[in-house]
Amino acid sequence: MTNVACSAPYTLTMELTHRCPLRCLYCSNPTELIRQENELSLDHWISIVDQAARLSVVQANLTGGEPLAYAGLTAIVRRLRERDIYSNLITSGIGLSDTVLQELIECGLESIQMSLQSANKKTAELIAGWNAQEQKLKALKLATQTKIPVALNVVLHKHNIGEVAELIELAESMNVKRLELASTQFYGFAMVNMEHLLPTREQMEEGLAVYDLKKKQLAGKMQLSWVIGDYLESSPKPCMGGWASQHIVVSADGTAYPCLAANAINTLSFPSTKEHSLKWIWEESPAFNAFRGYEWMVEPCRSCEFREKDFGGCRCQAFLLTGDARQADPVCKLSPHHHVVEEKIAAANAYPIGPLVHRQFS
Amino acid sequence: MTESLNLVKESILQMSPGVRLKDDETRQCKLLLMPESIVKLNHSASEVLELVDGNRSIEKIYAELAARYEDETLHKDLAEFLLDALTRGWIEIKCP
Ligand code: SF4
Ligand code: SF4
C-alpha cells in the first residue's frame, strides 16, 4: 500500500506520566496504566520536543496523569519555549503551588487548563475518588491571578449535568475567563463506567438550555463552550481533520498515537519514539497511515456524500463498538451498527447495576 | 465603521493574554496561536493583527492600512474583522 501524502502536524500532546493523585471515573488514560519505572527520561522528552519542532509542530499540550508529578516538567516547558512551541499545561491543580506556578511561567508556559469534577464537594469526591476540592479551588485561584490565561474544564455526565448553572457561577466567582463544559467521551475508564456516566437525553437538553442562556448573558465577560457528547448526537463527530492529520500524541512510555483514544485500537501496532524518529512515525509508520485518505473506508462511508466532512466519524469509537476500526462510527444513523449505541443509551437510562470503577494509582 | 466601534476609535487594541502570532516557514503563512487552538491566517488578517500591539488605536490601525491600500471597503472590512476578533477573544481593548 502506498502512503497518502500528509502535511505537517500542528500539535504534540505529551502524556508525561500516568501517575495522578485523583482517580476519575472517566479518566482518558488507558485502563492499563504505565508505571513510573517505564516512563520516559527527561532527555528523551527533550529530543521529542526538538524533533517535533523540526516537523513544524507549533503547539504542545503537557498532560498526564498529572503532569506536575513529572520531575522534568519545567525543563520541558523551557525547551518548548526555546523551540518557539506554544505550551499548554493540562492539570488537576494538585501540586500547583505559587512557587511552581511562577517557575513554570518564567520558563515560558503560555496557558493552563485546569479540571474540576463538580461544583459540589461530595459529588467531586464521588467522581475523583478523593476529597480534593479545596486544594483544587485554591490552585485555581492562584492560577487566575497570573498573567497567563486559565481555562476551567468540567467533564459532564449524569452526576453533574444538573449543575450547569452552579458551575458557571463558580467559574464567575473565581474570575475564570474560559469555561469548557465537555461531555464525557466514552474511551478508557469512561467506557468501563459508561452506564454510570451517560446522561439521559432530557438531562442533556436541560443542561444545554441553561448553558445557552448563560452564554448570551456572559458574552464579553466569559467564554463558554460546550462539547457535545456524541452518543446523543445524530451524526458522528468528524475526526479532527481526519486520522493523523494534525496531532501526535506521545504517551508516558514513548508510544506514539494519532490521538489520545487510539490505544484502544489493538489491531494496530503503534510505533515507539524509542525505536523510530518522530518524522518516520508521522510520515511512514503503518499505524499513522492506516486511515489517511479514503481508500480504507467500507460501506456506507465509502460512497457517502459526507465522508469528506466527518471522515466516517471516530476510528476509535468504531473499533470499540464494532471491533473493526474501518467501520462507520456507530453514532451515525447510517451505520449498520447504530443499534449498539441505542442499546448503550438504554442501558445507561436503566438503573446502573455494575460497580463504579475508579482507576487505581500505584 | 460600525456604531459600536466608532464609539471607541481611540481605543488601543492588544492581543489577549496567551494569544500570539507566529511566522510559519513550512506553511508559508502566519499562525495565531492561542490556548488549545491554532488559526491559519490569510494575508489581510495577519497584516491587521501585526498592528495590534498594545500601542496603536483603532484609528491609527485604519490610517496605516489606508496609507498602504486604496480600497473603498477597507473601513467596513476592518471594522468587521476587529469586531469578530474581539468576540472571538483574539484581541482585547487595553484599559487606559
Ligand atoms: S480517531 Fe476518534 S478520538 Fe481519535 S482523533 Fe479521530 S475522532 Fe478523535
Ligand atoms: S456513513 Fe460514514 S461518512 Fe456517511 S455520515 Fe455516516 S459516518 Fe459519515
Side-chain angles (χ1 to χ4, degrees), chain A residues 8-11 56 58-59 84 86 88 110-111 113 147 149 178 180 223, chain B residues 17-20 22 24 26-27 31 33-38 40 87-89:
Chain A
Y10 281 93
T11 59
S56 303
V58 292
Q59 193 163 52
D84 197 25
Y86 188 105
N88 175 40
E110 299 195 61
S111 86
Q113 189 203 95
K147 60 174 188 190
R178 265 177 19 146
E180 301 162 357
Q223 282 190 39
Chain B
V19 181
R20 66 176 170 97
K22 179 184 161 80
D24 192 319
T26 314
R27 299 176 182 91
L31 299 176
L33 302 182
M34 57 197 133
E36 291 158 80
S37 59
I38 300 163
K40 217 170 149 178
T87 12
R88 285 171 194 263

PDB file of all heavy atoms in Angstrom, chain A residues 8-11 56 58-59 84 86 88 110-111 113 147 149 178 180 223, chain B residues 17-20 22 24 26-27 31 33-38 40 87-89:
ATOM      1  N   ALA A   8       2.244  18.711   7.482  1.00  0.00           N
ATOM      2  CA  ALA A   8       2.925  18.758   8.778  1.00  0.00           C
ATOM      3  C   ALA A   8       1.929  18.784   9.939  1.00  0.00           C
ATOM      4  O   ALA A   8       0.870  19.378   9.838  1.00  0.00           O
ATOM      5  CB  ALA A   8       3.806  19.999   8.827  1.00  0.00           C
ATOM      6  N   PRO A   9       2.287  18.124  11.041  1.00  0.00           N
ATOM      7  CA  PRO A   9       1.417  18.137  12.225  1.00  0.00           C
ATOM      8  C   PRO A   9       1.480  19.494  12.946  1.00  0.00           C
ATOM      9  O   PRO A   9       2.519  20.144  12.950  1.00  0.00           O
ATOM     10  CB  PRO A   9       2.011  17.048  13.111  1.00  0.00           C
ATOM     11  CG  PRO A   9       3.454  16.992  12.727  1.00  0.00           C
ATOM     12  CD  PRO A   9       3.509  17.339  11.271  1.00  0.00           C
ATOM     13  N   TYR A  10       0.377  19.910  13.525  1.00  0.00           N
ATOM     14  CA  TYR A  10       0.336  21.180  14.251  1.00  0.00           C
ATOM     15  C   TYR A  10       0.646  21.022  15.736  1.00  0.00           C
ATOM     16  O   TYR A  10       1.292  21.847  16.326  1.00  0.00           O
ATOM     17  CB  TYR A  10      -1.062  21.806  14.150  1.00  0.00           C
ATOM     18  CG  TYR A  10      -1.343  22.502  12.853  1.00  0.00           C
ATOM     19  CD1 TYR A  10      -1.956  21.841  11.795  1.00  0.00           C
ATOM     20  CD2 TYR A  10      -1.018  23.846  12.693  1.00  0.00           C
ATOM     21  CE1 TYR A  10      -2.224  22.496  10.602  1.00  0.00           C
ATOM     22  CE2 TYR A  10      -1.278  24.510  11.507  1.00  0.00           C
ATOM     23  CZ  TYR A  10      -1.888  23.833  10.462  1.00  0.00           C
ATOM     24  OH  TYR A  10      -2.148  24.485   9.295  1.00  0.00           O
ATOM     25  N   THR A  11       0.104  19.955  16.340  1.00  0.00           N
ATOM     26  CA  THR A  11       0.236  19.864  17.795  1.00  0.00           C
ATOM     27  C   THR A  11       0.822  18.536  18.268  1.00  0.00           C
ATOM     28  O   THR A  11       0.696  17.506  17.612  1.00  0.00           O
ATOM     29  CB  THR A  11      -1.134  20.033  18.504  1.00  0.00           C
ATOM     30  OG1 THR A  11      -2.003  19.013  18.029  1.00  0.00           O
ATOM     31  CG2 THR A  11      -1.743  21.379  18.247  1.00  0.00           C
ATOM     32  N   SER A  56       7.660  20.921  12.333  1.00  0.00           N
ATOM     33  CA  SER A  56       6.774  22.094  12.261  1.00  0.00           C
ATOM     34  C   SER A  56       5.588  22.056  13.216  1.00  0.00           C
ATOM     35  O   SER A  56       4.569  22.695  12.977  1.00  0.00           O
ATOM     36  CB  SER A  56       6.264  22.343  10.842  1.00  0.00           C
ATOM     37  OG  SER A  56       7.334  22.487   9.966  1.00  0.00           O
ATOM     38  N   VAL A  58       3.650  23.392  16.263  1.00  0.00           N
ATOM     39  CA  VAL A  58       3.679  24.751  16.822  1.00  0.00           C
ATOM     40  C   VAL A  58       3.028  24.861  18.204  1.00  0.00           C
ATOM     41  O   VAL A  58       3.089  25.892  18.847  1.00  0.00           O
ATOM     42  CB  VAL A  58       3.014  25.776  15.872  1.00  0.00           C
ATOM     43  CG1 VAL A  58       3.839  25.949  14.607  1.00  0.00           C
ATOM     44  CG2 VAL A  58       1.581  25.368  15.535  1.00  0.00           C
ATOM     45  N   GLN A  59       2.395  23.789  18.640  1.00  0.00           N
ATOM     46  CA  GLN A  59       1.723  23.852  19.935  1.00  0.00           C
ATOM     47  C   GLN A  59       1.858  22.526  20.671  1.00  0.00           C
ATOM     48  O   GLN A  59       1.806  21.470  20.044  1.00  0.00           O
ATOM     49  CB  GLN A  59       0.249  24.184  19.727  1.00  0.00           C
ATOM     50  CG  GLN A  59      -0.479  24.574  20.986  1.00  0.00           C
ATOM     51  CD  GLN A  59      -1.787  25.278  20.690  1.00  0.00           C
ATOM     52  OE1 GLN A  59      -2.591  24.761  19.940  1.00  0.00           O
ATOM     53  NE2 GLN A  59      -1.997  26.450  21.270  1.00  0.00           N
ATOM     54  N   ASP A  84      10.168  27.739  20.214  1.00  0.00           N
ATOM     55  CA  ASP A  84       9.001  28.537  19.830  1.00  0.00           C
ATOM     56  C   ASP A  84       7.745  27.677  19.619  1.00  0.00           C
ATOM     57  O   ASP A  84       6.985  27.872  18.681  1.00  0.00           O
ATOM     58  CB  ASP A  84       9.304  29.368  18.568  1.00  0.00           C
ATOM     59  CG  ASP A  84       8.284  30.492  18.391  1.00  0.00           C
ATOM     60  OD1 ASP A  84       7.694  30.916  19.398  1.00  0.00           O
ATOM     61  OD2 ASP A  84       8.062  30.919  17.245  1.00  0.00           O
ATOM     62  N   TYR A  86       4.226  26.693  21.386  1.00  0.00           N
ATOM     63  CA  TYR A  86       3.287  27.196  22.393  1.00  0.00           C
ATOM     64  C   TYR A  86       2.987  26.087  23.398  1.00  0.00           C
ATOM     65  O   TYR A  86       2.635  24.978  23.012  1.00  0.00           O
ATOM     66  CB  TYR A  86       2.008  27.609  21.670  1.00  0.00           C
ATOM     67  CG  TYR A  86       0.984  28.341  22.506  1.00  0.00           C
ATOM     68  CD1 TYR A  86       0.804  29.706  22.354  1.00  0.00           C
ATOM     69  CD2 TYR A  86       0.178  27.661  23.408  1.00  0.00           C
ATOM     70  CE1 TYR A  86      -0.152  30.386  23.099  1.00  0.00           C
ATOM     71  CE2 TYR A  86      -0.768  28.328  24.158  1.00  0.00           C
ATOM     72  CZ  TYR A  86      -0.926  29.695  23.991  1.00  0.00           C
ATOM     73  OH  TYR A  86      -1.880  30.354  24.731  1.00  0.00           O
ATOM     74  N   ASN A  88       0.904  24.466  26.693  1.00  0.00           N
ATOM     75  CA  ASN A  88      -0.334  24.493  27.459  1.00  0.00           C
ATOM     76  C   ASN A  88      -0.287  23.352  28.472  1.00  0.00           C
ATOM     77  O   ASN A  88      -0.039  22.206  28.113  1.00  0.00           O
ATOM     78  CB  ASN A  88      -1.511  24.307  26.475  1.00  0.00           C
ATOM     79  CG  ASN A  88      -2.843  24.205  27.174  1.00  0.00           C
ATOM     80  OD1 ASN A  88      -3.111  24.919  28.137  1.00  0.00           O
ATOM     81  ND2 ASN A  88      -3.685  23.299  26.692  1.00  0.00           N
ATOM     82  N   GLU A 110       2.589  29.059  28.526  1.00  0.00           N
ATOM     83  CA  GLU A 110       1.724  30.085  27.925  1.00  0.00           C
ATOM     84  C   GLU A 110       0.257  29.980  28.302  1.00  0.00           C
ATOM     85  O   GLU A 110      -0.473  30.952  28.214  1.00  0.00           O
ATOM     86  CB  GLU A 110       1.884  30.077  26.404  1.00  0.00           C
ATOM     87  CG  GLU A 110       3.331  30.385  26.012  1.00  0.00           C
ATOM     88  CD  GLU A 110       3.511  30.745  24.559  1.00  0.00           C
ATOM     89  OE1 GLU A 110       2.936  31.735  24.121  1.00  0.00           O
ATOM     90  OE2 GLU A 110       4.239  30.004  23.868  1.00  0.00           O
ATOM     91  N   SER A 111      -0.212  28.799  28.685  1.00  0.00           N
ATOM     92  CA  SER A 111      -1.599  28.729  29.139  1.00  0.00           C
ATOM     93  C   SER A 111      -1.831  27.487  29.994  1.00  0.00           C
ATOM     94  O   SER A 111      -1.041  26.529  29.959  1.00  0.00           O
ATOM     95  CB  SER A 111      -2.575  28.781  27.965  1.00  0.00           C
ATOM     96  OG  SER A 111      -2.797  27.512  27.434  1.00  0.00           O
ATOM     97  N   GLN A 113      -4.894  24.724  31.480  1.00  0.00           N
ATOM     98  CA  GLN A 113      -6.259  24.212  31.503  1.00  0.00           C
ATOM     99  C   GLN A 113      -6.403  23.389  32.775  1.00  0.00           C
ATOM    100  O   GLN A 113      -5.658  22.435  32.985  1.00  0.00           O
ATOM    101  CB  GLN A 113      -6.522  23.330  30.285  1.00  0.00           C
ATOM    102  CG  GLN A 113      -7.980  22.948  30.161  1.00  0.00           C
ATOM    103  CD  GLN A 113      -8.165  21.682  29.352  1.00  0.00           C
ATOM    104  OE1 GLN A 113      -8.250  20.587  29.896  1.00  0.00           O
ATOM    105  NE2 GLN A 113      -8.212  21.818  28.043  1.00  0.00           N
ATOM    106  N   LYS A 147      -0.536  36.112  34.877  1.00  0.00           N
ATOM    107  CA  LYS A 147      -0.776  36.822  33.613  1.00  0.00           C
ATOM    108  C   LYS A 147      -1.166  35.870  32.475  1.00  0.00           C
ATOM    109  O   LYS A 147      -1.565  36.318  31.414  1.00  0.00           O
ATOM    110  CB  LYS A 147       0.481  37.611  33.232  1.00  0.00           C
ATOM    111  CG  LYS A 147       1.697  36.712  33.042  1.00  0.00           C
ATOM    112  CD  LYS A 147       2.909  37.444  32.522  1.00  0.00           C
ATOM    113  CE  LYS A 147       3.974  36.435  32.183  1.00  0.00           C
ATOM    114  NZ  LYS A 147       5.272  36.887  31.883  1.00  0.00           N
ATOM    115  N   PRO A 149      -3.474  32.892  30.548  1.00  0.00           N
ATOM    116  CA  PRO A 149      -4.885  32.534  30.582  1.00  0.00           C
ATOM    117  C   PRO A 149      -5.134  31.155  31.192  1.00  0.00           C
ATOM    118  O   PRO A 149      -4.329  30.243  31.029  1.00  0.00           O
ATOM    119  CB  PRO A 149      -5.290  32.537  29.108  1.00  0.00           C
ATOM    120  CG  PRO A 149      -4.037  32.331  28.353  1.00  0.00           C
ATOM    121  CD  PRO A 149      -2.933  32.913  29.179  1.00  0.00           C
ATOM    122  N   ARG A 178     -12.465  31.478  30.798  1.00  0.00           N
ATOM    123  CA  ARG A 178     -12.944  30.465  29.844  1.00  0.00           C
ATOM    124  C   ARG A 178     -13.387  29.219  30.571  1.00  0.00           C
ATOM    125  O   ARG A 178     -12.645  28.657  31.372  1.00  0.00           O
ATOM    126  CB  ARG A 178     -11.829  30.105  28.863  1.00  0.00           C
ATOM    127  CG  ARG A 178     -11.931  30.937  27.576  1.00  0.00           C
ATOM    128  CD  ARG A 178     -10.818  30.635  26.674  1.00  0.00           C
ATOM    129  NE  ARG A 178     -10.260  29.360  27.088  1.00  0.00           N
ATOM    130  CZ  ARG A 178      -9.745  28.466  26.287  1.00  0.00           C
ATOM    131  NH1 ARG A 178      -9.701  28.688  25.050  1.00  0.00           N
ATOM    132  NH2 ARG A 178      -9.245  27.347  26.735  1.00  0.00           N
ATOM    133  N   GLU A 180     -15.013  25.409  29.858  1.00  0.00           N
ATOM    134  CA  GLU A 180     -15.390  24.392  28.871  1.00  0.00           C
ATOM    135  C   GLU A 180     -16.191  23.312  29.569  1.00  0.00           C
ATOM    136  O   GLU A 180     -15.720  22.710  30.535  1.00  0.00           O
ATOM    137  CB  GLU A 180     -14.140  23.747  28.266  1.00  0.00           C
ATOM    138  CG  GLU A 180     -13.232  24.724  27.582  1.00  0.00           C
ATOM    139  CD  GLU A 180     -11.828  24.151  27.377  1.00  0.00           C
ATOM    140  OE1 GLU A 180     -11.559  23.012  27.818  1.00  0.00           O
ATOM    141  OE2 GLU A 180     -10.997  24.867  26.792  1.00  0.00           O
ATOM    142  N   GLN A 223     -15.842  33.291  28.222  1.00  0.00           N
ATOM    143  CA  GLN A 223     -16.101  32.465  27.039  1.00  0.00           C
ATOM    144  C   GLN A 223     -16.566  31.102  27.494  1.00  0.00           C
ATOM    145  O   GLN A 223     -15.872  30.428  28.248  1.00  0.00           O
ATOM    146  CB  GLN A 223     -14.821  32.312  26.224  1.00  0.00           C
ATOM    147  CG  GLN A 223     -14.489  33.524  25.402  1.00  0.00           C
ATOM    148  CD  GLN A 223     -13.353  33.224  24.450  1.00  0.00           C
ATOM    149  OE1 GLN A 223     -13.271  32.144  23.887  1.00  0.00           O
ATOM    150  NE2 GLN A 223     -12.463  34.184  24.299  1.00  0.00           N
TER     151      GLN A 223
ATOM    152  N   PRO B  17      -4.348  37.890  26.479  1.00  0.00           N
ATOM    153  CA  PRO B  17      -3.303  37.103  27.128  1.00  0.00           C
ATOM    154  C   PRO B  17      -3.272  35.681  26.549  1.00  0.00           C
ATOM    155  O   PRO B  17      -4.327  35.084  26.339  1.00  0.00           O
ATOM    156  CB  PRO B  17      -3.718  37.063  28.596  1.00  0.00           C
ATOM    157  CG  PRO B  17      -4.761  38.101  28.773  1.00  0.00           C
ATOM    158  CD  PRO B  17      -5.331  38.420  27.440  1.00  0.00           C
ATOM    159  N   GLY B  18      -2.080  35.186  26.308  1.00  0.00           N
ATOM    160  CA  GLY B  18      -1.967  33.820  25.797  1.00  0.00           C
ATOM    161  C   GLY B  18      -2.246  33.696  24.310  1.00  0.00           C
ATOM    162  O   GLY B  18      -2.342  32.585  23.797  1.00  0.00           O
ATOM    163  N   VAL B  19      -2.387  34.813  23.608  1.00  0.00           N
ATOM    164  CA  VAL B  19      -2.618  34.751  22.160  1.00  0.00           C
ATOM    165  C   VAL B  19      -1.441  35.438  21.463  1.00  0.00           C
ATOM    166  O   VAL B  19      -1.061  36.535  21.847  1.00  0.00           O
ATOM    167  CB  VAL B  19      -3.934  35.462  21.767  1.00  0.00           C
ATOM    168  CG1 VAL B  19      -4.165  35.379  20.272  1.00  0.00           C
ATOM    169  CG2 VAL B  19      -5.104  34.860  22.525  1.00  0.00           C
ATOM    170  N   ARG B  20      -0.840  34.767  20.496  1.00  0.00           N
ATOM    171  CA  ARG B  20       0.264  35.414  19.782  1.00  0.00           C
ATOM    172  C   ARG B  20       0.370  34.952  18.334  1.00  0.00           C
ATOM    173  O   ARG B  20      -0.156  33.906  17.956  1.00  0.00           O
ATOM    174  CB  ARG B  20       1.586  35.181  20.520  1.00  0.00           C
ATOM    175  CG  ARG B  20       2.046  33.740  20.564  1.00  0.00           C
ATOM    176  CD  ARG B  20       3.415  33.668  21.246  1.00  0.00           C
ATOM    177  NE  ARG B  20       3.826  32.319  21.546  1.00  0.00           N
ATOM    178  CZ  ARG B  20       4.641  31.599  20.758  1.00  0.00           C
ATOM    179  NH1 ARG B  20       5.079  32.077  19.619  1.00  0.00           N
ATOM    180  NH2 ARG B  20       4.984  30.377  21.126  1.00  0.00           N
ATOM    181  N   LYS B  22       2.617  33.811  15.042  1.00  0.00           N
ATOM    182  CA  LYS B  22       3.872  33.109  14.743  1.00  0.00           C
ATOM    183  C   LYS B  22       4.053  33.018  13.237  1.00  0.00           C
ATOM    184  O   LYS B  22       3.125  32.682  12.508  1.00  0.00           O
ATOM    185  CB  LYS B  22       3.843  31.703  15.353  1.00  0.00           C
ATOM    186  CG  LYS B  22       5.116  30.903  15.070  1.00  0.00           C
ATOM    187  CD  LYS B  22       4.996  29.489  15.624  1.00  0.00           C
ATOM    188  CE  LYS B  22       6.002  28.541  14.986  1.00  0.00           C
ATOM    189  NZ  LYS B  22       7.352  28.637  15.554  1.00  0.00           N
ATOM    190  N   ASP B  24       5.180  31.110  10.213  1.00  0.00           N
ATOM    191  CA  ASP B  24       5.397  29.697   9.965  1.00  0.00           C
ATOM    192  C   ASP B  24       6.028  29.502   8.597  1.00  0.00           C
ATOM    193  O   ASP B  24       5.384  29.682   7.570  1.00  0.00           O
ATOM    194  CB  ASP B  24       4.059  28.952  10.069  1.00  0.00           C
ATOM    195  CG  ASP B  24       4.250  27.446  10.112  1.00  0.00           C
ATOM    196  OD1 ASP B  24       5.097  26.929   9.368  1.00  0.00           O
ATOM    197  OD2 ASP B  24       3.540  26.786  10.889  1.00  0.00           O
ATOM    198  N   THR B  26       7.269  26.685   7.204  1.00  0.00           N
ATOM    199  CA  THR B  26       6.805  25.496   6.491  1.00  0.00           C
ATOM    200  C   THR B  26       5.480  25.743   5.784  1.00  0.00           C
ATOM    201  O   THR B  26       5.299  25.364   4.633  1.00  0.00           O
ATOM    202  CB  THR B  26       6.581  24.324   7.479  1.00  0.00           C
ATOM    203  OG1 THR B  26       7.707  24.262   8.335  1.00  0.00           O
ATOM    204  CG2 THR B  26       6.378  23.020   6.757  1.00  0.00           C
ATOM    205  N   ARG B  27       4.559  26.368   6.512  1.00  0.00           N
ATOM    206  CA  ARG B  27       3.222  26.554   5.954  1.00  0.00           C
ATOM    207  C   ARG B  27       3.094  27.857   5.186  1.00  0.00           C
ATOM    208  O   ARG B  27       2.033  28.169   4.658  1.00  0.00           O
ATOM    209  CB  ARG B  27       2.172  26.466   7.071  1.00  0.00           C
ATOM    210  CG  ARG B  27       2.188  25.104   7.759  1.00  0.00           C
ATOM    211  CD  ARG B  27       1.234  25.025   8.935  1.00  0.00           C
ATOM    212  NE  ARG B  27       1.325  23.725   9.592  1.00  0.00           N
ATOM    213  CZ  ARG B  27       2.145  23.450  10.610  1.00  0.00           C
ATOM    214  NH1 ARG B  27       2.931  24.382  11.089  1.00  0.00           N
ATOM    215  NH2 ARG B  27       2.186  22.232  11.132  1.00  0.00           N
ATOM    216  N   LEU B  31       0.498  32.200  11.752  1.00  0.00           N
ATOM    217  CA  LEU B  31      -0.462  31.446  12.558  1.00  0.00           C
ATOM    218  C   LEU B  31      -0.806  32.264  13.788  1.00  0.00           C
ATOM    219  O   LEU B  31       0.031  33.000  14.303  1.00  0.00           O
ATOM    220  CB  LEU B  31       0.146  30.121  13.023  1.00  0.00           C
ATOM    221  CG  LEU B  31       0.582  29.117  11.972  1.00  0.00           C
ATOM    222  CD1 LEU B  31       1.257  27.923  12.646  1.00  0.00           C
ATOM    223  CD2 LEU B  31      -0.607  28.655  11.142  1.00  0.00           C
ATOM    224  N   LEU B  33      -1.582  31.634  17.489  1.00  0.00           N
ATOM    225  CA  LEU B  33      -1.523  30.569  18.490  1.00  0.00           C
ATOM    226  C   LEU B  33      -2.259  31.023  19.738  1.00  0.00           C
ATOM    227  O   LEU B  33      -2.058  32.134  20.212  1.00  0.00           O
ATOM    228  CB  LEU B  33      -0.073  30.260  18.858  1.00  0.00           C
ATOM    229  CG  LEU B  33       0.858  29.850  17.724  1.00  0.00           C
ATOM    230  CD1 LEU B  33       2.241  29.529  18.280  1.00  0.00           C
ATOM    231  CD2 LEU B  33       0.289  28.656  16.981  1.00  0.00           C
ATOM    232  N   MET B  34      -3.102  30.175  20.256  1.00  0.00           N
ATOM    233  CA  MET B  34      -3.813  30.519  21.491  1.00  0.00           C
ATOM    234  C   MET B  34      -4.153  29.239  22.240  1.00  0.00           C
ATOM    235  O   MET B  34      -3.954  28.149  21.718  1.00  0.00           O
ATOM    236  CB  MET B  34      -5.042  31.345  21.170  1.00  0.00           C
ATOM    237  CG  MET B  34      -6.001  30.698  20.222  1.00  0.00           C
ATOM    238  SD  MET B  34      -7.079  31.952  19.576  1.00  0.00           S
ATOM    239  CE  MET B  34      -7.009  31.566  17.861  1.00  0.00           C
ATOM    240  N   PRO B  35      -4.644  29.386  23.490  1.00  0.00           N
ATOM    241  CA  PRO B  35      -4.885  28.181  24.267  1.00  0.00           C
ATOM    242  C   PRO B  35      -5.739  27.184  23.481  1.00  0.00           C
ATOM    243  O   PRO B  35      -6.837  27.527  23.062  1.00  0.00           O
ATOM    244  CB  PRO B  35      -5.655  28.691  25.495  1.00  0.00           C
ATOM    245  CG  PRO B  35      -5.298  30.130  25.603  1.00  0.00           C
ATOM    246  CD  PRO B  35      -5.040  30.607  24.222  1.00  0.00           C
ATOM    247  N   GLU B  36      -5.209  26.020  23.270  1.00  0.00           N
ATOM    248  CA  GLU B  36      -5.941  24.915  22.630  1.00  0.00           C
ATOM    249  C   GLU B  36      -6.437  25.145  21.212  1.00  0.00           C
ATOM    250  O   GLU B  36      -7.251  24.369  20.723  1.00  0.00           O
ATOM    251  CB  GLU B  36      -7.137  24.497  23.482  1.00  0.00           C
ATOM    252  CG  GLU B  36      -6.710  23.833  24.749  1.00  0.00           C
ATOM    253  CD  GLU B  36      -7.825  23.934  25.744  1.00  0.00           C
ATOM    254  OE1 GLU B  36      -8.746  23.132  25.624  1.00  0.00           O
ATOM    255  OE2 GLU B  36      -7.772  24.807  26.622  1.00  0.00           O
ATOM    256  N   SER B  37      -6.001  26.234  20.559  1.00  0.00           N
ATOM    257  CA  SER B  37      -6.338  26.271  19.145  1.00  0.00           C
ATOM    258  C   SER B  37      -5.325  27.073  18.344  1.00  0.00           C
ATOM    259  O   SER B  37      -4.522  27.824  18.898  1.00  0.00           O
ATOM    260  CB  SER B  37      -7.757  26.786  18.908  1.00  0.00           C
ATOM    261  OG  SER B  37      -7.887  28.075  19.426  1.00  0.00           O
ATOM    262  N   ILE B  38      -5.374  26.847  17.070  1.00  0.00           N
ATOM    263  CA  ILE B  38      -4.438  27.472  16.134  1.00  0.00           C
ATOM    264  C   ILE B  38      -5.261  27.936  14.947  1.00  0.00           C
ATOM    265  O   ILE B  38      -6.105  27.195  14.446  1.00  0.00           O
ATOM    266  CB  ILE B  38      -3.403  26.442  15.649  1.00  0.00           C
ATOM    267  CG1 ILE B  38      -2.607  25.887  16.840  1.00  0.00           C
ATOM    268  CG2 ILE B  38      -2.468  27.070  14.612  1.00  0.00           C
ATOM    269  CD1 ILE B  38      -1.875  24.607  16.527  1.00  0.00           C
ATOM    270  N   LYS B  40      -4.945  29.509  11.081  1.00  0.00           N
ATOM    271  CA  LYS B  40      -4.096  29.846   9.951  1.00  0.00           C
ATOM    272  C   LYS B  40      -4.640  31.143   9.371  1.00  0.00           C
ATOM    273  O   LYS B  40      -5.798  31.203   8.968  1.00  0.00           O
ATOM    274  CB  LYS B  40      -4.231  28.713   8.918  1.00  0.00           C
ATOM    275  CG  LYS B  40      -2.960  28.380   8.214  1.00  0.00           C
ATOM    276  CD  LYS B  40      -3.126  27.112   7.411  1.00  0.00           C
ATOM    277  CE  LYS B  40      -2.230  27.174   6.198  1.00  0.00           C
ATOM    278  NZ  LYS B  40      -2.306  25.960   5.386  1.00  0.00           N
ATOM    279  N   THR B  87     -14.789  39.485  19.535  1.00  0.00           N
ATOM    280  CA  THR B  87     -15.752  38.499  20.062  1.00  0.00           C
ATOM    281  C   THR B  87     -15.121  37.129  20.204  1.00  0.00           C
ATOM    282  O   THR B  87     -15.469  36.370  21.098  1.00  0.00           O
ATOM    283  CB  THR B  87     -17.011  38.356  19.165  1.00  0.00           C
ATOM    284  OG1 THR B  87     -16.776  39.000  17.937  1.00  0.00           O
ATOM    285  CG2 THR B  87     -18.230  38.905  19.819  1.00  0.00           C
ATOM    286  N   ARG B  88     -14.202  36.805  19.334  1.00  0.00           N
ATOM    287  CA  ARG B  88     -13.542  35.505  19.463  1.00  0.00           C
ATOM    288  C   ARG B  88     -12.510  35.485  20.583  1.00  0.00           C
ATOM    289  O   ARG B  88     -11.931  34.439  20.868  1.00  0.00           O
ATOM    290  CB  ARG B  88     -12.832  35.153  18.158  1.00  0.00           C
ATOM    291  CG  ARG B  88     -13.771  34.717  17.069  1.00  0.00           C
ATOM    292  CD  ARG B  88     -12.993  34.611  15.778  1.00  0.00           C
ATOM    293  NE  ARG B  88     -13.882  34.528  14.648  1.00  0.00           N
ATOM    294  CZ  ARG B  88     -14.243  33.380  14.081  1.00  0.00           C
ATOM    295  NH1 ARG B  88     -13.767  32.241  14.532  1.00  0.00           N
ATOM    296  NH2 ARG B  88     -15.057  33.369  13.071  1.00  0.00           N
ATOM    297  N   GLY B  89     -12.226  36.663  21.122  1.00  0.00           N
ATOM    298  CA  GLY B  89     -11.255  36.721  22.208  1.00  0.00           C
ATOM    299  C   GLY B  89      -9.805  36.701  21.732  1.00  0.00           C
ATOM    300  O   GLY B  89      -8.891  36.463  22.517  1.00  0.00           O
TER     301      GLY B  89
END
